[in-house]
Structures are given as C-alpha cells and as structure tokens.
Amino acid sequence: MMQDIQCKEMRKTSWQARTCPLVLTALLAWGAPVVPASAADQETATMALPVLSLTFSASYVAEDFGLWAKEGLNVKVVNIAGIGALNSVIAGSSEFANTTAGSFTRAAARGQKMLALANTLDRPMMEVVLRKDAGALDPSAPIEVRAKSLRGKTIAVDSINSITHGYLRIVAMKANLDPEKDIIVTPMQPPNMMAAMKSKTIDGFAMSQPWTLSVVLDGTASVVASSPRGDLPELVPFAYNLIVTRPETCEKRRSLCEKMGKGLAAAAKMIHERPDEVISKLQKRFEKLDHETLAAAFKLIQAATPKIPAITKVGLANAEHYNVLSGLIPAQEMVTNLDELFTTEFVR
C-alpha cells in the first residue's frame, strides 16, 4: 500500500515507475526510516528518571532503539533528582516515572496512589563498597562480618532516606551496628562518589551499577555487601524498578499505557537477546566508563532483568518489608492492599 502511494508520485519517467517498487523494497530491507502513513497515531508522553544509572537500562534501550517510537509513542525523557521523579507524576507534569517500589508504596500509604505498569529488575541491585585503605575485608566472610568494617566510616548515598540509604542501614544492622550513630552518612550524586572516594573525602558509598563496580574493578574499593551477587537473598524477588503512572492516565488514555508497556517489553527482550548492541548504545550514555566496567555491570543488570517485565505481588510485598526493615516507613504504614496498585496487562 505504501509502495503504491509513493510510486504514484514518481511521474517523471516510465523508468522510475517501473523501478520504484524495487527501490522501496531495498530501502526497507536496509532499515531506511519510513514516514508513518498518518501522524494521527503518534502520541507524546514524558518519562522522569531520578538519576543516571544502569538501573534504568530498559528505559534507555526503549528510547535509544526507538522501541517506543515504533509503537507510535514519542517519549521525552527527563532527569529529575531523587523522589522528584515520582513527584512529577503525582503533580501531573510527567506521565510516567521510573521509581523504586519503596517510594511508590510510601506514596500510596500517604494517599497518593499511583499505578505500576512494569518492573524491569526483579532483585535489589545495590551494593556497599569501601576504600581498600579504609578497612581490610575478607570477601569470603559472611555479610555480618564484612559489615563490621563500616563502623565510624563516612559513607555516601544518593539522598537521605532513599532506597540506597535504606540498604546501607540494613547492611549495618546485619553487623549489629546502629546505622544512625555508628556511620557518618553524606548525600552525593553518583558520578561524584567515585571522585570523592579517590580523593579520600569519603570512605565508601552505597549505590547501584555501574558506579560501585567501577571502583572495585580499578582496585580502589572492596565490596562490603552486594545484593546482585547474592547478599540478602531473603529480599528476592523484589520490585526494584517500577514504571508508574497515575491511574487516570490508563483510564483516559489507555493507548498511552499500552504503547509504554509494549516498548518496555521489547526492551527487556533486546537486553537478553542482543546484549552487544545494547552495551554499545549504553556506552554513549556512560562515556566516562571504560568498556570492561560497563560490560561487567551490564551482565548483572541482564541477569536481573525479567524476560517479561511484569510486576508480581510477592515482589511488591518484599519491597514493603524492606521499607519497614530499613526504617523508611513505620510498620503501621505498610500497604496491605497491593493488588490495587499494579497491573500486568500492558506488558504481557
């Protein structure tokens, strides 16, 4: 149909009319861009991300490979630090956000119920690392022993009372440390954590990939705790990275949620089936990281990415348990009606 329409426009010579179908077929085979037949199917949405991190690989892949665009969705990705990403959805300035389950359920407990459409990572992806010259660690020792090295140390987190701050608290408690008294905590953006560690401004930091892995591979730091590598198995499965929106968005603009979900499902598939291409694209976003570090970090992300990024109730329940355990919410604020907070229909 598209060939017929475009070929009718070639009226200069009979040669063009004869060869047009062959040329268009070749262009399609080579992957040449084709203008949609109608702009009416195109929709626009804003996606908010809280920080630059491989945690959001599925969203990066959906954007960089045009997977949302293929579904007819033009997504404007914006960075809004910390809890501000989720708050932008609550306020209506963004249609979607990547957020932790902890922030999501805390909002629900306070009467700000969002709807989760997908979960792109099924386990906690956080680690705590410590400068080698700040304390000797036996990597084969249980976490209860390794965590003792945090006593009296200055540890950076992305923001106070964030999920990574909560992770640091849980790790400290494994060694019977008081996370509020035995550790000095300072907020810092991830790219600055590595420089601060190397200048010895901080002793260590808690963060997700690829930041922690970078300082481990270059020999600067040792791992105190790592959920991607098996620590805290009681928290798996876990709703680590949710894509959320307001319930009325899917009620009034259902196609927006359908296109968002399809793009994320395609991204998860690509992460598993075309890793080399994905790493190549991610390298452009994390240009300061060497290829070895990025590739090693991506393997951990790939292992934690569900092939179908659907949310499970047990994953949300574990996230709620994490909230209480880490002191992010009091036990009486736990959300019990989790079924009302998520759907799996847009990624199946």
Side-chain angles (χ1 to χ4, degrees), residues 181-192:
K181 296 179 180 179
D182 293 331
I183 301 173
I184 302 167
V185 179
T186 182
M188 188 176 294
Q189 284 302 296
N192 299 328

Side-chain angles (χ1 to χ4, degrees), residues 48-52 56 79-88 97-100 103 158-160 162-163 189-190:
L49 302 181
V51 70
L52 178 66
F56 312 117
N79 293 306
I80 305 177
I83 193 65
L86 178 60
N87 286 340
S88 72
N98 283 241
T99 188
T100 63
S103 297
D158 55 346
S159 61
I160 301 300
S162 66
I163 190 171
Q189 284 302 296

Side-chain angles (χ1 to χ4, degrees), residues 149-169:
S149 62
L150 296 173
R151 185 186 296 275
K153 302 300 190 300
T154 298
I155 307 296
V157 298
D158 55 346
S159 61
I160 301 300
N161 286 328
S162 66
I163 190 171
T164 51
H165 188 189
Y167 188 75
L168 177 63
R169 286 174 174 152

